[in-house]
Amino acid sequence: MPQASEHISINMFAINYGDSIASATSMRATCVEAEAPSAARERDITTTGRIPYTEGLPALPRTLLPGYDTGVMGMLIALFLIIALNFRHYSTFIKTFMQNLFTVRTRANAFDDHNTTSEVRVLASLIILGCACQGILLFSIINIDVPGINVFFGVGSATILAILYYLWQLAAYSTVGYVFGSGNQAAQWLKGFNASQSLLSMALVVPALVILFNPDMAEALIYIGAALYLVARIIFISKGFRIFYHQSFSLLYFILYLCTLEIIPPLLMIKAAFFLIPILD
């Protein structure tokens, strides 16, 4: 009988022990995430894979400023050297500058000597400087719509176009002046044109230099350059109006002159620059 009682006791212990294990297993199987908040919290705040802020920003090539181009800087230095070599003659040029810009005389003054070598050299240096500044601004206009053009090629090509446009204007104004006026009137008109171009050249130096080293201001500086161009043109046109206007019928010729020489040619020149420079680059 003792053996039987011991056997019963062992069976009861096994049953109780088995129930405890089953109960524990059942509890562990039905455990939910809310019953283990620390483990869930750690999993939520743990990041795996690539962490963006530890990788930094991607490397981008530095934008080359137009003013850092060796060819452009060499061209500007050459222009300023030409101006410096003729600087001592500027006093002679300034004496007649305002007169050529605004004054209209019915007869030529025999005591005026405006065709001296020094004045021609100063005028040529200012005209070339003005064409270079116009070329820089014109290149900036093109570069906004067609980026990636070689800086030296673009500025050089636009400057050559500005020089050709100036020579075309000189020939056109000479022809029109001698056809519709006397020799004295044509000479005064041409002097007024060169004086207005000299004024424009001096005014465009600052916007052109700033746009070379701060392309982010290109749009605002282009508008400033366009406004300065209009001011110089208005001064020149007003002098031409005072020279050639005699009666109401001549107003028709003046309107035709504005359309033929002052409105259409600059638009065609800009369109030609937009077409030729990107193709030739």
PDB file of all heavy atoms in Angstrom, residues 101 134 165-166 168-170 173 189 193 196-197 199-200 226-240 254 257-258 261-263 265-266:
ATOM      1  N   LEU A 101      26.583 116.280 -77.443  1.00  0.00           N
ATOM      2  CA  LEU A 101      25.438 115.492 -76.978  1.00  0.00           C
ATOM      3  C   LEU A 101      24.128 116.270 -77.064  1.00  0.00           C
ATOM      4  O   LEU A 101      23.081 115.686 -77.394  1.00  0.00           O
ATOM      5  CB  LEU A 101      25.681 115.040 -75.537  1.00  0.00           C
ATOM      6  CG  LEU A 101      24.774 113.935 -74.972  1.00  0.00           C
ATOM      7  CD1 LEU A 101      24.902 112.677 -75.797  1.00  0.00           C
ATOM      8  CD2 LEU A 101      25.133 113.667 -73.520  1.00  0.00           C
ATOM      9  N   GLN A 134      28.142  95.930 -73.653  1.00  0.00           N
ATOM     10  CA  GLN A 134      26.910  95.448 -74.275  1.00  0.00           C
ATOM     11  C   GLN A 134      27.005  93.950 -74.581  1.00  0.00           C
ATOM     12  O   GLN A 134      26.015  93.219 -74.453  1.00  0.00           O
ATOM     13  CB  GLN A 134      26.640  96.231 -75.553  1.00  0.00           C
ATOM     14  CG  GLN A 134      26.309  97.694 -75.328  1.00  0.00           C
ATOM     15  CD  GLN A 134      26.172  98.465 -76.619  1.00  0.00           C
ATOM     16  OE1 GLN A 134      25.471  98.055 -77.543  1.00  0.00           O
ATOM     17  NE2 GLN A 134      26.847  99.609 -76.707  1.00  0.00           N
ATOM     18  N   TYR A 165      27.167  95.925 -85.073  1.00  0.00           N
ATOM     19  CA  TYR A 165      25.936  96.726 -84.997  1.00  0.00           C
ATOM     20  C   TYR A 165      26.261  98.214 -84.920  1.00  0.00           C
ATOM     21  O   TYR A 165      25.584  99.048 -85.547  1.00  0.00           O
ATOM     22  CB  TYR A 165      25.125  96.296 -83.783  1.00  0.00           C
ATOM     23  CG  TYR A 165      23.830  97.052 -83.599  1.00  0.00           C
ATOM     24  CD1 TYR A 165      22.865  97.090 -84.599  1.00  0.00           C
ATOM     25  CD2 TYR A 165      23.570  97.734 -82.409  1.00  0.00           C
ATOM     26  CE1 TYR A 165      21.685  97.789 -84.433  1.00  0.00           C
ATOM     27  CE2 TYR A 165      22.386  98.436 -82.237  1.00  0.00           C
ATOM     28  CZ  TYR A 165      21.455  98.458 -83.248  1.00  0.00           C
ATOM     29  OH  TYR A 165      20.285  99.157 -83.083  1.00  0.00           O
ATOM     30  N   TYR A 166      27.295  98.581 -84.181  1.00  0.00           N
ATOM     31  CA  TYR A 166      27.703  99.992 -84.110  1.00  0.00           C
ATOM     32  C   TYR A 166      28.155 100.486 -85.481  1.00  0.00           C
ATOM     33  O   TYR A 166      27.762 101.594 -85.902  1.00  0.00           O
ATOM     34  CB  TYR A 166      28.826 100.161 -83.091  1.00  0.00           C
ATOM     35  CG  TYR A 166      29.521 101.499 -83.197  1.00  0.00           C
ATOM     36  CD1 TYR A 166      28.941 102.653 -82.677  1.00  0.00           C
ATOM     37  CD2 TYR A 166      30.756 101.624 -83.847  1.00  0.00           C
ATOM     38  CE1 TYR A 166      29.563 103.886 -82.790  1.00  0.00           C
ATOM     39  CE2 TYR A 166      31.379 102.854 -83.970  1.00  0.00           C
ATOM     40  CZ  TYR A 166      30.777 103.980 -83.436  1.00  0.00           C
ATOM     41  OH  TYR A 166      31.386 105.203 -83.560  1.00  0.00           O
ATOM     42  N   TRP A 168      27.291  99.334 -88.377  1.00  0.00           N
ATOM     43  CA  TRP A 168      26.108  99.430 -89.237  1.00  0.00           C
ATOM     44  C   TRP A 168      25.323 100.705 -88.932  1.00  0.00           C
ATOM     45  O   TRP A 168      24.859 101.394 -89.858  1.00  0.00           O
ATOM     46  CB  TRP A 168      25.218  98.212 -89.028  1.00  0.00           C
ATOM     47  CG  TRP A 168      23.974  98.266 -89.856  1.00  0.00           C
ATOM     48  CD1 TRP A 168      23.810  97.841 -91.144  1.00  0.00           C
ATOM     49  CD2 TRP A 168      22.703  98.811 -89.459  1.00  0.00           C
ATOM     50  NE1 TRP A 168      22.523  98.088 -91.560  1.00  0.00           N
ATOM     51  CE2 TRP A 168      21.822  98.679 -90.560  1.00  0.00           C
ATOM     52  CE3 TRP A 168      22.230  99.400 -88.273  1.00  0.00           C
ATOM     53  CZ2 TRP A 168      20.500  99.105 -90.509  1.00  0.00           C
ATOM     54  CZ3 TRP A 168      20.910  99.825 -88.224  1.00  0.00           C
ATOM     55  CH2 TRP A 168      20.068  99.675 -89.328  1.00  0.00           C
ATOM     56  N   GLN A 169      25.168 101.023 -87.664  1.00  0.00           N
ATOM     57  CA  GLN A 169      24.470 102.258 -87.295  1.00  0.00           C
ATOM     58  C   GLN A 169      25.207 103.484 -87.820  1.00  0.00           C
ATOM     59  O   GLN A 169      24.580 104.429 -88.330  1.00  0.00           O
ATOM     60  CB  GLN A 169      24.343 102.358 -85.769  1.00  0.00           C
ATOM     61  CG  GLN A 169      23.399 101.353 -85.154  1.00  0.00           C
ATOM     62  CD  GLN A 169      23.384 101.492 -83.652  1.00  0.00           C
ATOM     63  OE1 GLN A 169      22.463 102.069 -83.073  1.00  0.00           O
ATOM     64  NE2 GLN A 169      24.403 100.972 -82.996  1.00  0.00           N
ATOM     65  N   LEU A 170      26.537 103.470 -87.706  1.00  0.00           N
ATOM     66  CA  LEU A 170      27.328 104.606 -88.190  1.00  0.00           C
ATOM     67  C   LEU A 170      27.104 104.808 -89.678  1.00  0.00           C
ATOM     68  O   LEU A 170      26.914 105.944 -90.147  1.00  0.00           O
ATOM     69  CB  LEU A 170      28.807 104.352 -87.885  1.00  0.00           C
ATOM     70  CG  LEU A 170      29.740 105.567 -87.832  1.00  0.00           C
ATOM     71  CD1 LEU A 170      29.309 106.529 -86.738  1.00  0.00           C
ATOM     72  CD2 LEU A 170      31.171 105.113 -87.623  1.00  0.00           C
ATOM     73  N   TYR A 173      23.324 106.034 -90.241  1.00  0.00           N
ATOM     74  CA  TYR A 173      23.092 107.421 -89.867  1.00  0.00           C
ATOM     75  C   TYR A 173      23.808 108.377 -90.815  1.00  0.00           C
ATOM     76  O   TYR A 173      23.301 109.459 -91.114  1.00  0.00           O
ATOM     77  CB  TYR A 173      23.541 107.664 -88.429  1.00  0.00           C
ATOM     78  CG  TYR A 173      22.706 106.934 -87.404  1.00  0.00           C
ATOM     79  CD1 TYR A 173      23.298 106.368 -86.278  1.00  0.00           C
ATOM     80  CD2 TYR A 173      21.334 106.805 -87.554  1.00  0.00           C
ATOM     81  CE1 TYR A 173      22.545 105.691 -85.340  1.00  0.00           C
ATOM     82  CE2 TYR A 173      20.573 106.126 -86.623  1.00  0.00           C
ATOM     83  CZ  TYR A 173      21.182 105.573 -85.513  1.00  0.00           C
ATOM     84  OH  TYR A 173      20.427 104.904 -84.579  1.00  0.00           O
ATOM     85  N   TRP A 189      24.696 115.277 -86.316  1.00  0.00           N
ATOM     86  CA  TRP A 189      23.950 114.076 -85.933  1.00  0.00           C
ATOM     87  C   TRP A 189      24.898 112.935 -85.588  1.00  0.00           C
ATOM     88  O   TRP A 189      24.699 112.224 -84.605  1.00  0.00           O
ATOM     89  CB  TRP A 189      23.015 113.701 -87.080  1.00  0.00           C
ATOM     90  CG  TRP A 189      21.896 112.790 -86.664  1.00  0.00           C
ATOM     91  CD1 TRP A 189      21.274 112.764 -85.450  1.00  0.00           C
ATOM     92  CD2 TRP A 189      21.272 111.791 -87.472  1.00  0.00           C
ATOM     93  NE1 TRP A 189      20.286 111.821 -85.448  1.00  0.00           N
ATOM     94  CE2 TRP A 189      20.256 111.210 -86.673  1.00  0.00           C
ATOM     95  CE3 TRP A 189      21.445 111.349 -88.773  1.00  0.00           C
ATOM     96  CZ2 TRP A 189      19.443 110.193 -87.141  1.00  0.00           C
ATOM     97  CZ3 TRP A 189      20.614 110.344 -89.245  1.00  0.00           C
ATOM     98  CH2 TRP A 189      19.628 109.769 -88.435  1.00  0.00           C
ATOM     99  N   PHE A 193      25.469 111.030 -82.083  1.00  0.00           N
ATOM    100  CA  PHE A 193      25.402 109.571 -81.935  1.00  0.00           C
ATOM    101  C   PHE A 193      26.624 109.044 -81.187  1.00  0.00           C
ATOM    102  O   PHE A 193      26.492 108.248 -80.242  1.00  0.00           O
ATOM    103  CB  PHE A 193      25.304 108.926 -83.314  1.00  0.00           C
ATOM    104  CG  PHE A 193      25.488 107.439 -83.303  1.00  0.00           C
ATOM    105  CD1 PHE A 193      24.580 106.616 -82.665  1.00  0.00           C
ATOM    106  CD2 PHE A 193      26.590 106.854 -83.921  1.00  0.00           C
ATOM    107  CE1 PHE A 193      24.744 105.242 -82.640  1.00  0.00           C
ATOM    108  CE2 PHE A 193      26.761 105.484 -83.906  1.00  0.00           C
ATOM    109  CZ  PHE A 193      25.847 104.675 -83.265  1.00  0.00           C
ATOM    110  N   SER A 196      26.428 110.001 -77.528  1.00  0.00           N
ATOM    111  CA  SER A 196      25.474 109.176 -76.790  1.00  0.00           C
ATOM    112  C   SER A 196      26.035 107.775 -76.540  1.00  0.00           C
ATOM    113  O   SER A 196      25.817 107.196 -75.471  1.00  0.00           O
ATOM    114  CB  SER A 196      24.149 109.088 -77.545  1.00  0.00           C
ATOM    115  OG  SER A 196      24.305 108.399 -78.774  1.00  0.00           O
ATOM    116  N   GLN A 197      26.787 107.248 -77.515  1.00  0.00           N
ATOM    117  CA  GLN A 197      27.409 105.940 -77.318  1.00  0.00           C
ATOM    118  C   GLN A 197      28.505 106.006 -76.260  1.00  0.00           C
ATOM    119  O   GLN A 197      28.682 105.064 -75.478  1.00  0.00           O
ATOM    120  CB  GLN A 197      27.989 105.442 -78.641  1.00  0.00           C
ATOM    121  CG  GLN A 197      26.952 105.032 -79.670  1.00  0.00           C
ATOM    122  CD  GLN A 197      26.124 103.853 -79.195  1.00  0.00           C
ATOM    123  OE1 GLN A 197      24.950 104.011 -78.860  1.00  0.00           O
ATOM    124  NE2 GLN A 197      26.706 102.683 -79.146  1.00  0.00           N
ATOM    125  N   LEU A 199      28.504 108.107 -73.697  1.00  0.00           N
ATOM    126  CA  LEU A 199      27.776 108.194 -72.432  1.00  0.00           C
ATOM    127  C   LEU A 199      27.271 106.821 -72.010  1.00  0.00           C
ATOM    128  O   LEU A 199      27.377 106.434 -70.827  1.00  0.00           O
ATOM    129  CB  LEU A 199      26.612 109.168 -72.587  1.00  0.00           C
ATOM    130  CG  LEU A 199      25.685 109.322 -71.375  1.00  0.00           C
ATOM    131  CD1 LEU A 199      26.431 109.936 -70.202  1.00  0.00           C
ATOM    132  CD2 LEU A 199      24.466 110.167 -71.734  1.00  0.00           C
ATOM    133  N   LEU A 200      26.737 106.060 -72.967  1.00  0.00           N
ATOM    134  CA  LEU A 200      26.257 104.718 -72.663  1.00  0.00           C
ATOM    135  C   LEU A 200      27.398 103.811 -72.210  1.00  0.00           C
ATOM    136  O   LEU A 200      27.225 103.000 -71.293  1.00  0.00           O
ATOM    137  CB  LEU A 200      25.564 104.137 -73.899  1.00  0.00           C
ATOM    138  CG  LEU A 200      25.005 102.722 -73.773  1.00  0.00           C
ATOM    139  CD1 LEU A 200      23.909 102.665 -72.732  1.00  0.00           C
ATOM    140  CD2 LEU A 200      24.481 102.226 -75.115  1.00  0.00           C
ATOM    141  N   ALA A 226      19.226  97.895 -69.911  1.00  0.00           N
ATOM    142  CA  ALA A 226      18.234  98.268 -70.923  1.00  0.00           C
ATOM    143  C   ALA A 226      17.711  99.678 -70.684  1.00  0.00           C
ATOM    144  O   ALA A 226      17.503 100.448 -71.643  1.00  0.00           O
ATOM    145  CB  ALA A 226      17.075  97.269 -70.909  1.00  0.00           C
ATOM    146  N   ALA A 227      17.511 100.052 -69.407  1.00  0.00           N
ATOM    147  CA  ALA A 227      17.049 101.404 -69.098  1.00  0.00           C
ATOM    148  C   ALA A 227      18.109 102.444 -69.479  1.00  0.00           C
ATOM    149  O   ALA A 227      17.773 103.501 -70.032  1.00  0.00           O
ATOM    150  CB  ALA A 227      16.717 101.511 -67.606  1.00  0.00           C
ATOM    151  N   LEU A 228      19.372 102.149 -69.210  1.00  0.00           N
ATOM    152  CA  LEU A 228      20.441 103.071 -69.593  1.00  0.00           C
ATOM    153  C   LEU A 228      20.532 103.205 -71.109  1.00  0.00           C
ATOM    154  O   LEU A 228      20.772 104.305 -71.638  1.00  0.00           O
ATOM    155  CB  LEU A 228      21.772 102.588 -69.017  1.00  0.00           C
ATOM    156  CG  LEU A 228      21.892 102.611 -67.486  1.00  0.00           C
ATOM    157  CD1 LEU A 228      23.188 101.936 -67.043  1.00  0.00           C
ATOM    158  CD2 LEU A 228      21.827 104.039 -66.965  1.00  0.00           C
ATOM    159  N   TYR A 229      20.349 102.109 -71.819  1.00  0.00           N
ATOM    160  CA  TYR A 229      20.352 102.152 -73.286  1.00  0.00           C
ATOM    161  C   TYR A 229      19.224 103.041 -73.797  1.00  0.00           C
ATOM    162  O   TYR A 229      19.413 103.844 -74.722  1.00  0.00           O
ATOM    163  CB  TYR A 229      20.211 100.734 -73.825  1.00  0.00           C
ATOM    164  CG  TYR A 229      20.150 100.645 -75.336  1.00  0.00           C
ATOM    165  CD1 TYR A 229      21.315 100.617 -76.095  1.00  0.00           C
ATOM    166  CD2 TYR A 229      18.923 100.596 -76.004  1.00  0.00           C
ATOM    167  CE1 TYR A 229      21.261 100.541 -77.479  1.00  0.00           C
ATOM    168  CE2 TYR A 229      18.859 100.514 -77.383  1.00  0.00           C
ATOM    169  CZ  TYR A 229      20.031 100.487 -78.118  1.00  0.00           C
ATOM    170  OH  TYR A 229      19.977 100.422 -79.489  1.00  0.00           O
ATOM    171  N   LEU A 230      18.046 102.921 -73.197  1.00  0.00           N
ATOM    172  CA  LEU A 230      16.914 103.741 -73.622  1.00  0.00           C
ATOM    173  C   LEU A 230      17.170 105.220 -73.358  1.00  0.00           C
ATOM    174  O   LEU A 230      16.804 106.079 -74.180  1.00  0.00           O
ATOM    175  CB  LEU A 230      15.643 103.278 -72.907  1.00  0.00           C
ATOM    176  CG  LEU A 230      15.048 101.947 -73.363  1.00  0.00           C
ATOM    177  CD1 LEU A 230      13.843 101.578 -72.507  1.00  0.00           C
ATOM    178  CD2 LEU A 230      14.654 101.996 -74.830  1.00  0.00           C
ATOM    179  N   VAL A 231      17.771 105.539 -72.213  1.00  0.00           N
ATOM    180  CA  VAL A 231      18.070 106.939 -71.898  1.00  0.00           C
ATOM    181  C   VAL A 231      19.024 107.523 -72.926  1.00  0.00           C
ATOM    182  O   VAL A 231      18.810 108.637 -73.442  1.00  0.00           O
ATOM    183  CB  VAL A 231      18.654 107.057 -70.477  1.00  0.00           C
ATOM    184  CG1 VAL A 231      19.182 108.471 -70.231  1.00  0.00           C
ATOM    185  CG2 VAL A 231      17.598 106.708 -69.431  1.00  0.00           C
ATOM    186  N   ALA A 232      20.099 106.774 -73.253  1.00  0.00           N
ATOM    187  CA  ALA A 232      21.048 107.259 -74.251  1.00  0.00           C
ATOM    188  C   ALA A 232      20.384 107.422 -75.609  1.00  0.00           C
ATOM    189  O   ALA A 232      20.649 108.391 -76.340  1.00  0.00           O
ATOM    190  CB  ALA A 232      22.237 106.296 -74.350  1.00  0.00           C
ATOM    191  N   ARG A 233      19.492 106.509 -75.967  1.00  0.00           N
ATOM    192  CA  ARG A 233      18.797 106.604 -77.246  1.00  0.00           C
ATOM    193  C   ARG A 233      17.844 107.791 -77.281  1.00  0.00           C
ATOM    194  O   ARG A 233      17.708 108.469 -78.306  1.00  0.00           O
ATOM    195  CB  ARG A 233      18.024 105.313 -77.514  1.00  0.00           C
ATOM    196  CG  ARG A 233      18.887 104.177 -77.959  1.00  0.00           C
ATOM    197  CD  ARG A 233      19.406 104.432 -79.352  1.00  0.00           C
ATOM    198  NE  ARG A 233      20.596 103.656 -79.642  1.00  0.00           N
ATOM    199  CZ  ARG A 233      21.185 103.637 -80.799  1.00  0.00           C
ATOM    200  NH1 ARG A 233      20.743 104.382 -81.791  1.00  0.00           N
ATOM    201  NH2 ARG A 233      22.269 102.922 -80.986  1.00  0.00           N
ATOM    202  N   ILE A 234      17.154 108.035 -76.190  1.00  0.00           N
ATOM    203  CA  ILE A 234      16.221 109.163 -76.150  1.00  0.00           C
ATOM    204  C   ILE A 234      16.972 110.483 -76.322  1.00  0.00           C
ATOM    205  O   ILE A 234      16.509 111.390 -77.033  1.00  0.00           O
ATOM    206  CB  ILE A 234      15.427 109.139 -74.826  1.00  0.00           C
ATOM    207  CG1 ILE A 234      14.448 107.956 -74.830  1.00  0.00           C
ATOM    208  CG2 ILE A 234      14.680 110.450 -74.613  1.00  0.00           C
ATOM    209  CD1 ILE A 234      13.757 107.732 -73.508  1.00  0.00           C
ATOM    210  N   ILE A 235      18.151 110.597 -75.688  1.00  0.00           N
ATOM    211  CA  ILE A 235      18.954 111.814 -75.852  1.00  0.00           C
ATOM    212  C   ILE A 235      19.366 111.980 -77.303  1.00  0.00           C
ATOM    213  O   ILE A 235      19.268 113.082 -77.885  1.00  0.00           O
ATOM    214  CB  ILE A 235      20.187 111.756 -74.928  1.00  0.00           C
ATOM    215  CG1 ILE A 235      19.754 111.793 -73.462  1.00  0.00           C
ATOM    216  CG2 ILE A 235      21.139 112.917 -75.226  1.00  0.00           C
ATOM    217  CD1 ILE A 235      20.890 111.592 -72.486  1.00  0.00           C
ATOM    218  N   PHE A 236      19.817 110.891 -77.930  1.00  0.00           N
ATOM    219  CA  PHE A 236      20.240 110.967 -79.335  1.00  0.00           C
ATOM    220  C   PHE A 236      19.063 111.253 -80.259  1.00  0.00           C
ATOM    221  O   PHE A 236      19.157 112.073 -81.181  1.00  0.00           O
ATOM    222  CB  PHE A 236      20.933 109.663 -79.723  1.00  0.00           C
ATOM    223  CG  PHE A 236      21.174 109.518 -81.196  1.00  0.00           C
ATOM    224  CD1 PHE A 236      22.023 110.392 -81.863  1.00  0.00           C
ATOM    225  CD2 PHE A 236      20.545 108.513 -81.919  1.00  0.00           C
ATOM    226  CE1 PHE A 236      22.246 110.263 -83.235  1.00  0.00           C
ATOM    227  CE2 PHE A 236      20.766 108.382 -83.274  1.00  0.00           C
ATOM    228  CZ  PHE A 236      21.617 109.265 -83.936  1.00  0.00           C
ATOM    229  N   ILE A 237      17.931 110.595 -80.022  1.00  0.00           N
ATOM    230  CA  ILE A 237      16.755 110.799 -80.876  1.00  0.00           C
ATOM    231  C   ILE A 237      16.244 112.230 -80.750  1.00  0.00           C
ATOM    232  O   ILE A 237      15.826 112.846 -81.746  1.00  0.00           O
ATOM    233  CB  ILE A 237      15.663 109.777 -80.518  1.00  0.00           C
ATOM    234  CG1 ILE A 237      16.107 108.362 -80.923  1.00  0.00           C
ATOM    235  CG2 ILE A 237      14.339 110.115 -81.190  1.00  0.00           C
ATOM    236  CD1 ILE A 237      15.196 107.264 -80.424  1.00  0.00           C
ATOM    237  N   SER A 238      16.266 112.767 -79.540  1.00  0.00           N
ATOM    238  CA  SER A 238      15.802 114.145 -79.364  1.00  0.00           C
ATOM    239  C   SER A 238      16.688 115.127 -80.117  1.00  0.00           C
ATOM    240  O   SER A 238      16.192 116.106 -80.698  1.00  0.00           O
ATOM    241  CB  SER A 238      15.761 114.493 -77.877  1.00  0.00           C
ATOM    242  OG  SER A 238      17.067 114.469 -77.315  1.00  0.00           O
ATOM    243  N   LYS A 239      17.991 114.887 -80.152  1.00  0.00           N
ATOM    244  CA  LYS A 239      18.868 115.766 -80.927  1.00  0.00           C
ATOM    245  C   LYS A 239      18.580 115.629 -82.419  1.00  0.00           C
ATOM    246  O   LYS A 239      18.531 116.635 -83.144  1.00  0.00           O
ATOM    247  CB  LYS A 239      20.334 115.450 -80.642  1.00  0.00           C
ATOM    248  CG  LYS A 239      21.284 116.344 -81.429  1.00  0.00           C
ATOM    249  CD  LYS A 239      22.721 116.240 -80.981  1.00  0.00           C
ATOM    250  CE  LYS A 239      23.580 117.228 -81.773  1.00  0.00           C
ATOM    251  NZ  LYS A 239      24.980 117.251 -81.315  1.00  0.00           N
ATOM    252  N   GLY A 240      18.376 114.424 -82.888  1.00  0.00           N
ATOM    253  CA  GLY A 240      18.033 114.232 -84.285  1.00  0.00           C
ATOM    254  C   GLY A 240      16.721 114.893 -84.648  1.00  0.00           C
ATOM    255  O   GLY A 240      16.571 115.452 -85.753  1.00  0.00           O
ATOM    256  N   PHE A 254      10.048 111.148 -89.616  1.00  0.00           N
ATOM    257  CA  PHE A 254      10.640 110.858 -88.308  1.00  0.00           C
ATOM    258  C   PHE A 254      10.111 109.548 -87.746  1.00  0.00           C
ATOM    259  O   PHE A 254      10.871 108.751 -87.169  1.00  0.00           O
ATOM    260  CB  PHE A 254      10.336 112.015 -87.348  1.00  0.00           C
ATOM    261  CG  PHE A 254      10.996 111.878 -86.010  1.00  0.00           C
ATOM    262  CD1 PHE A 254      12.351 112.121 -85.854  1.00  0.00           C
ATOM    263  CD2 PHE A 254      10.262 111.481 -84.898  1.00  0.00           C
ATOM    264  CE1 PHE A 254      12.958 111.982 -84.621  1.00  0.00           C
ATOM    265  CE2 PHE A 254      10.854 111.347 -83.664  1.00  0.00           C
ATOM    266  CZ  PHE A 254      12.218 111.603 -83.523  1.00  0.00           C
ATOM    267  N   TYR A 257      11.744 106.791 -89.581  1.00  0.00           N
ATOM    268  CA  TYR A 257      13.125 106.648 -89.089  1.00  0.00           C
ATOM    269  C   TYR A 257      13.164 105.859 -87.788  1.00  0.00           C
ATOM    270  O   TYR A 257      14.024 104.982 -87.595  1.00  0.00           O
ATOM    271  CB  TYR A 257      13.739 108.036 -88.907  1.00  0.00           C
ATOM    272  CG  TYR A 257      14.699 108.140 -87.758  1.00  0.00           C
ATOM    273  CD1 TYR A 257      15.974 107.583 -87.836  1.00  0.00           C
ATOM    274  CD2 TYR A 257      14.331 108.794 -86.577  1.00  0.00           C
ATOM    275  CE1 TYR A 257      16.852 107.663 -86.768  1.00  0.00           C
ATOM    276  CE2 TYR A 257      15.198 108.878 -85.516  1.00  0.00           C
ATOM    277  CZ  TYR A 257      16.450 108.317 -85.612  1.00  0.00           C
ATOM    278  OH  TYR A 257      17.317 108.394 -84.561  1.00  0.00           O
ATOM    279  N   LEU A 258      12.232 106.140 -86.868  1.00  0.00           N
ATOM    280  CA  LEU A 258      12.206 105.415 -85.594  1.00  0.00           C
ATOM    281  C   LEU A 258      12.003 103.919 -85.814  1.00  0.00           C
ATOM    282  O   LEU A 258      12.683 103.087 -85.185  1.00  0.00           O
ATOM    283  CB  LEU A 258      11.092 105.969 -84.701  1.00  0.00           C
ATOM    284  CG  LEU A 258      11.298 107.354 -84.089  1.00  0.00           C
ATOM    285  CD1 LEU A 258      10.080 107.745 -83.269  1.00  0.00           C
ATOM    286  CD2 LEU A 258      12.547 107.391 -83.229  1.00  0.00           C
ATOM    287  N   LEU A 261      15.328 102.491 -88.001  1.00  0.00           N
ATOM    288  CA  LEU A 261      16.683 102.537 -87.455  1.00  0.00           C
ATOM    289  C   LEU A 261      16.754 102.375 -85.933  1.00  0.00           C
ATOM    290  O   LEU A 261      17.843 102.065 -85.423  1.00  0.00           O
ATOM    291  CB  LEU A 261      17.366 103.858 -87.841  1.00  0.00           C
ATOM    292  CG  LEU A 261      17.605 104.082 -89.340  1.00  0.00           C
ATOM    293  CD1 LEU A 261      18.316 105.415 -89.556  1.00  0.00           C
ATOM    294  CD2 LEU A 261      18.418 102.949 -89.941  1.00  0.00           C
ATOM    295  N   GLU A 262      15.664 102.590 -85.222  1.00  0.00           N
ATOM    296  CA  GLU A 262      15.746 102.584 -83.763  1.00  0.00           C
ATOM    297  C   GLU A 262      14.999 101.433 -83.086  1.00  0.00           C
ATOM    298  O   GLU A 262      15.294 101.105 -81.942  1.00  0.00           O
ATOM    299  CB  GLU A 262      15.217 103.915 -83.209  1.00  0.00           C
ATOM    300  CG  GLU A 262      15.971 105.144 -83.689  1.00  0.00           C
ATOM    301  CD  GLU A 262      17.428 105.157 -83.250  1.00  0.00           C
ATOM    302  OE1 GLU A 262      17.778 104.422 -82.308  1.00  0.00           O
ATOM    303  OE2 GLU A 262      18.211 105.902 -83.856  1.00  0.00           O
ATOM    304  N   ILE A 263      14.045 100.829 -83.763  1.00  0.00           N
ATOM    305  CA  ILE A 263      13.236  99.783 -83.127  1.00  0.00           C
ATOM    306  C   ILE A 263      13.549  98.405 -83.719  1.00  0.00           C
ATOM    307  O   ILE A 263      13.877  97.463 -82.976  1.00  0.00           O
ATOM    308  CB  ILE A 263      11.731 100.101 -83.269  1.00  0.00           C
ATOM    309  CG1 ILE A 263      11.402 101.405 -82.547  1.00  0.00           C
ATOM    310  CG2 ILE A 263      10.893  98.953 -82.710  1.00  0.00           C
ATOM    311  CD1 ILE A 263       9.960 101.850 -82.693  1.00  0.00           C
ATOM    312  N   PRO A 265      16.115  97.284 -85.884  1.00  0.00           N
ATOM    313  CA  PRO A 265      17.496  96.759 -85.874  1.00  0.00           C
ATOM    314  C   PRO A 265      17.951  96.160 -84.552  1.00  0.00           C
ATOM    315  O   PRO A 265      18.529  95.068 -84.551  1.00  0.00           O
ATOM    316  CB  PRO A 265      18.324  97.972 -86.287  1.00  0.00           C
ATOM    317  CG  PRO A 265      17.409  98.803 -87.089  1.00  0.00           C
ATOM    318  CD  PRO A 265      16.075  98.648 -86.445  1.00  0.00           C
ATOM    319  N   PRO A 266      17.732  96.813 -83.387  1.00  0.00           N
ATOM    320  CA  PRO A 266      18.176  96.156 -82.145  1.00  0.00           C
ATOM    321  C   PRO A 266      17.460  94.844 -81.866  1.00  0.00           C
ATOM    322  O   PRO A 266      18.070  93.901 -81.335  1.00  0.00           O
ATOM    323  CB  PRO A 266      17.882  97.210 -81.065  1.00  0.00           C
ATOM    324  CG  PRO A 266      16.959  98.180 -81.674  1.00  0.00           C
ATOM    325  CD  PRO A 266      17.220  98.169 -83.128  1.00  0.00           C
TER     326      PRO A 266
END
